[in-house]
Amino acid sequence: MILGLWLDPNSDRVVTGGGEGDLRIWDLNRCDSTQVLRGHQASVCSITANEDLIISTSFDSTAKVWDWNGCNRQTLLGHEGHVC
């Protein structure tokens, strides 16, 4: 189930996140997922991005900062309850 989505206004890239806690980067030209970003322990509920970074929030009480290569650059802790 997709719970979060970000559409790149300047390219054919889409990032989705859902109930399994993973994010997927999609290439709309190929109609295919090009990368899976794993790290959240609960559902992803929101996603935003720019040309350098992807930021996701989750019901696991974290926000994660990713680069476009799929590397989790930082996990932001300290929230009580889900972060959406």
Side-chain angles (χ1 to χ4, degrees):
M1 172 187 319
I2 294 175
L3 299 174
L5 180 138
W6 179 81
L7 174 64
D8 187 339
N10 300 313
S11 76
D12 293 320
R13 252 184 335 202
V14 173
V15 182
T16 61
E20 71 282 351
D22 297 339
L23 285 86
R24 291 185 181 271
I25 300 173
W26 298 85
D27 180 333
L28 294 181
N29 286 325
R30 294 179 22 200
C31 297
D32 194 18
S33 173
T34 60
Q35 198 162 9
V36 179
L37 288 61
R38 293 185 170 91
H40 282 293
Q41 301 302 308
S43 299
V44 172
C45 48
S46 68
I47 302 164
T48 191
N50 63 26
E51 61 276 357
D52 299 316
L53 299 171
I54 303 164
I55 300 173
S56 58
T57 65
S58 171
F59 286 99
D60 67 4
S61 302
T62 67
K64 291 188 177 284
V65 180
W66 312 84
D67 64 25
W68 283 98
N69 294 318
C71 180
N72 180 5
R73 302 307 236 167
Q74 189 170 12
T75 299
L76 306 173
L77 305 171
H79 295 279
E80 293 182 20
H82 62 271
V83 182
C84 287

